[in-house]
């Protein structure tokens, strides 16, 4: 089996893989606060769908996880806490490019 490699847009990019079979304990990829982050309340269109919001904002649905990383006090579960009316801060694409190396 070949080495498993995750893309830079993956939350597992920094996490080690053992014996090409399983992931180690997840290495966190924090998204820092930025004064230019936009505060926004999740609308019904994006209820339980962080992937759709990531696609619409960044053109990459694989960045669904950045909302939970940027808002750890509001989103504990990146899917089931992503509900209508929840206020979150949205990181700018330039921040993600810098921090994640996209």
């Amino acid at each position: 089996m070949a080495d498993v490699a995750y893309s830079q847009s993956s939350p597992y990019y920094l996490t080690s893989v053992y014996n090409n079979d399983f992931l180690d304990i997840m290495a966190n990829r924090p998204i820092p606060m930025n004064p230019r982050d936009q505060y926004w309340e999740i609308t019904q269109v994006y209820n339980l769908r962080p992937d759709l919001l990531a696609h619409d904002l960044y053109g990459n649905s694989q960045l669904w996880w950045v909302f939970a990383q940027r808002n750890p006090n509001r989103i504990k579960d990146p899917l089931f806490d992503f509900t209508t009316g929840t206020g979150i801060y949205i990181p700018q694409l330039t921040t993600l490019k810098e921090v994640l190396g996209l």
Side-chain angles (χ1 to χ4, degrees):
M1 182 185 296
D3 286 338
V4 176
Y6 289 90
S7 72
Q8 289 179 304
S9 62
S10 172
Y12 307 111
Y13 180 71
L14 299 177
T15 303
S16 299
V17 178
Y18 284 104
N19 297 327
N20 294 322
D21 289 328
F22 59 93
L23 291 172
D24 193 3
I25 296 172
M26 185 171 175
N28 192 24
R29 298 185 75 190
I31 307 298
M33 290 186 286
N34 186 312
R36 294 177 292 149
D37 291 347
Q38 178 184 358
Y39 182 80
W40 182 74
E41 287 190 6
I42 299 168
T43 62
Q44 183 62 36
V45 172
Y46 300 108
N47 187 57
L48 302 176
R49 293 303 304 268
D51 59 325
L52 290 180
L53 182 59
H55 178 269
D56 289 350
L57 292 176
Y58 309 127
N60 186 344
S61 62
Q62 293 180 358
L63 293 171
W64 58 269
W65 57 275
V66 301
F67 305 116
Q69 288 290 23
R70 172 57 183 87
N71 299 277
N73 59 334
R74 296 170 190 238
I75 301 176
K76 303 289 184 207
D77 182 304
L79 176 59
F80 293 111
D81 289 342
F82 205 83
T83 56
T84 302
T86 301
I88 61 172
Y89 287 96
I90 297 177
Q92 293 190 342
L93 181 57
T94 54
T95 301
L96 298 182
K97 286 181 178 181
E98 180 182 313
V99 173
L100 304 177
L102 302 175

